[in-house]
Every structure is written in C-alpha cells, then in structure tokens.
Amino acid sequence: MRSEKEDNILTDRELSLMNAIAKVFPCAKNMLCRWHIQKNVLANCKKHFDDAHWKKFLATFAVIMYAPTIEVYDERVRDLKRDFMMYPTVLEYVDKTWLGPHKERFVCAWTDSVMHLGNYTTNRAEGHHNKLKKYLASSQCNFQNAWEKAHGLVEATITAIKCSFEKSLSTLQHSYKIPIFNNLVGVVSQDAMRYMEMELKKIHSINMECTTPCVCPLRHTHGLPCAHEIAPFKNKEEQLPLSLIHEHWKKLSFDKPKKDPTIAESMKANFDIFMERFSTYDEDHQRHLMRKMTEVIYPHSTSLTEPKVKAKVRG
Ligand SMILES: [Zn+2]
C-alpha cells in the first residue's frame, strides 16, 4: 500500500519477515492481518473454553481490536482480564503474543492513523495464492507448465482489474446522480464513491455545531473526506473537488499518468531567466551557483550525506 510519504505493509506475524521490513522499510508501518490473528487465537485458546465462554471470549477480543482510542482499548483490556481471570493461560497467550508486543499493528486506536486504504487483512493475497494453487492443479508440473499457468492467472487478474476500472469509468449508479458528486463520478473508483455515499448519509446525524475537532479515521486511513469534510460543501450546495480524493482512488487505468507539459514549459522559462541573470553575476557568485547546480544534476557528487536512519529491531 502506498501513502504520500511512506509505504505501509500488511503481513502475518512472521517475526523474521517483520524484522526484515523494519530494516528495509524503516519508515513503513507494519500492520498485522486481523484475520490471521483471530485464526491463531482460535487455534491456541478455543481448547480452554466451553462453547458459551468461547463465544464470549472471542467477542471480547474482537471489540478490543476495534477499540477506537487508547483509553477505550485500556478499558476493554481491563474488562477482558476481569471477565476471564479464571483462564490465566489464555490471558498470558493473548498478552504476550498479541496485545503486549503488537497492539499498535492491529488495534484501531493505532491503525486508524495509518493509510491502509481499507486493507485490514491479507485475504487479497491469500485469495490469489489459493487461485494460483487451483491454476497449477498439481505440484508435479515442470517449469514451463507452471510458468504458463501462473502467466494465465496474471492475465486473468489484469482483465478483472481492467473490468473494474471500466465499471468505475462508465457506470453511473443512480444514488451518485447528485450535484455534490458531479466532479467525481466516472473519475474516481466505485469503492471510493461507496465510502463517500455512506459519509454523506451520516451528515444529518452529526452535530456540526460541536467545537471538538473531527476524529473520523477516513481521511487518514483511506484519503477520503468524512461527513465533517463533506458537510460544508453540501450546505453551500457546492460540488466536492477532486483534490479531496487520494490518488489511489483516481487510478482507473494501467497507463502511466500523462506528464503535464506546462511544467516543462515554465521550467524552461525560469531557466532562461536564470541564465540571463547568471551572466550578470561576479565570478564568486557564479562559482557558488555552479556548485549548487552540480549538486542538483549529480546528487552523488555532493559532500552532504543523507541522515542515517535508525533501524528498528523488533521481535
Ligand atoms: Zn469527520
């Protein structure tokens, strides 16, 4: 997943992989797949409970994962420890394996500030892995056979993605035929439209007079406007501008985005002015500018070095 400033990565709890990610992508947030966490909790804890207590435990653990703030998280963890104190082995497992070392990687209180674009689980990758296994059909096929089948799957996936792009470009859902969405329909993906439609519906239930700042995660997690951001446009009967939408949702083609020719033109105009002024400067000033120019053109020639990034070592 890409955000403006960093790549965020979603994995299972594979400690060696997580350590490698921390070294190779020191700025990336390494989130953990919630589906795999629940699967692991099931495998390690279910045997300690009867059916009724297991259901209650699972529900309590789920609400901890979706705790919207650190205060609520602390409160829910206290509830868990109180309600299941007769299961010390389970509490120790949950605390030492998940909540203690990794809560920041999967509990909403922390992940709601990470640009994950709606990816909470690795199911998309798992789904493709399963599909590939079905395409291969056997573990015995030779390299050429395996390559052809894998290639077939990649092509089928590209076609499916192109279909979804086409749907976003050409299908106009009835509920989106409203003036506030005029700038967006056919330009942003249907998924983004669905999120914004839901936010639009929330507007009548939020108190716009409230002076406390908006805490909706949608802007941080998806790069889309929440009900609070949409409300002023609705009240003034204005259209939502395209600039409110993260680039991810506007990518409806595999083609490279076209370069804006005006940027090159204005660069050339500025460069002409620079050359004109350059000829009027004294030699010292010219040498100083030459040095600056060399640093821009040949970044490796600069005497400045990049600041060292402190590697995080976890696990
Ligand atoms: Zn909001």
Side-chain angles (χ1 to χ4, degrees):
M1 288 175 278
R2 273 198 90 80
S3 66
E4 288 99 341
K5 289 177 189 159
E6 59 195 2
D7 292 312
N8 298 317
I9 298 171
L10 182 69
T11 64
D12 302 343
R13 184 182 157 277
E14 292 285 345
L15 297 179
S16 47
L17 173 65
M18 290 160 71
N19 280 341
I21 288 171
K23 280 184 187 163
V24 180
F25 302 102
C27 298
K29 302 270 186 330
N30 184 181
M31 285 172 59
L32 289 180
C33 167
R34 288 182 192 162
W35 183 80
H36 276 91
I37 293 172
Q38 281 179 314
K39 199 175 151 203
N40 275 282
V41 169
L42 185 134
N44 287 283
C45 304
K46 192 169 189 278
K47 58 190 175 211
H48 298 285
F49 293 98
D50 59 40
D51 264 5
H53 280 91
W54 166 243
K55 275 184 190 156
K56 194 183 170 202
F57 173 80
L58 208 54
T60 313
F61 186 73
V63 293
I64 288 176
M65 288 206 285
Y66 292 96
T69 63
I70 296 173
E71 292 73 27
V72 175
Y73 166 81
D74 288 340
E75 199 180 304
R76 290 181 185 177
V77 170
R78 270 199 301 276
D79 291 347
L80 177 90
K81 288 182 178 170
R82 185 198 58 220
D83 294 349
F84 295 94
M85 63 196 297
M86 65 294 264
Y87 300 97
T89 321
V90 169
L91 290 181
E92 191 187 344
Y93 165 76
V94 167
D95 190 39
K96 287 203 171 152
T97 312
W98 300 108
L99 302 180
H102 300 305
K103 56 182 177 294
E104 290 95 344
R105 301 176 189 273
F106 67 95
V107 177
C108 284
W110 289 275
T111 60
D112 274 357
S113 60
V114 176
M115 180 74 77
H116 54 60
L117 303 165
N119 294 286
Y120 305 100
T121 68
T122 54
N123 290 6
R124 192 177 289 187
E126 295 286 338
H128 275 82
H129 185 208
N130 266 341
K131 248 188 202 170
L132 178 62
K133 282 201 273 191
K134 278 185 192 148
Y135 262 66
L136 292 173
S138 150
S139 57
Q140 304 290 313
C141 53
N142 60 32
F143 176 77
Q144 187 183 345
N145 219 330
W147 189 89
E148 280 169 5
K149 285 178 177 172
H151 185 67
L153 174 63
V154 172
E155 281 191 324
T157 308
I158 290 174
T159 307
I161 296 172
K162 279 183 179 166
C163 280
S164 78
F165 284 162
E166 207 47 52
K167 204 175 153 199
S168 294
L169 289 166
S170 55
T171 315
L172 178 52
Q173 199 171 303
H174 183 71
S175 57
Y176 306 153
K177 286 184 194 169
I178 45 176
I180 196 165
F181 286 151
N182 273 0
N183 282 329
L184 313 180
V185 172
V187 186
V188 304
S189 83
Q190 296 271 312
D191 288 331
M193 294 304 297
R194 261 192 296 280
Y195 280 118
M196 285 183 285
E197 192 190 16
M198 282 193 286
E199 293 301 309
L200 193 62
K201 284 178 185 163
K202 281 187 206 165
I203 288 180
H204 69 272
S205 62
I206 57 173
N207 178 9
M208 294 305 291
E209 307 301 316
C210 182
T211 50
T212 50
C214 151
V215 290
C216 305
L218 200 64
R219 168 56 62 202
H220 307 292
T221 57
H222 290 68
L224 290 171
C226 68
H228 296 92
E229 246 181 295
I230 295 175
F233 292 93
K234 187 167 189 299
N235 295 342
K236 288 188 222 158
E237 297 184 357
E238 287 176 3
Q239 300 170 11
L240 286 175
L242 208 50
S243 55
L244 291 183
I245 316 294
H246 188 279
E247 290 306 312
H248 169 79
W249 307 106
K250 299 182 212 164
K251 177 134 183 68
L252 298 175
S253 151
F254 280 117
D255 299 334
K256 277 188 181 169
K258 283 180 188 143
K259 282 189 176 170
D260 181 354
T262 57
I263 294 177
E265 274 168 30
S266 74
M267 182 68 206
K268 192 178 173 312
N270 281 337
F271 194 71
D272 289 344
I273 296 169
F274 171 80
M275 285 308 288
E276 208 180 297
R277 289 187 189 167
F278 185 82
S279 59
T280 65
Y281 297 144
D282 62 44
E283 268 188 27
D284 278 352
H285 197 167
Q286 284 185 338
R287 263 194 217 98
H288 172 73
L289 288 172
M290 275 296 288
R291 248 197 327 270
K292 290 266 170 210
M293 189 71 106
T294 311
E295 279 177 17
V296 173
I297 300 171
Y298 308 105
H300 297 297
S301 68
T302 174
S303 55
L304 300 172
T305 52
E306 280 188 33
K308 275 193 179 170
V309 182
K310 232 182 174 183
K312 282 185 238 166
V313 182
R314 294 204 192 92

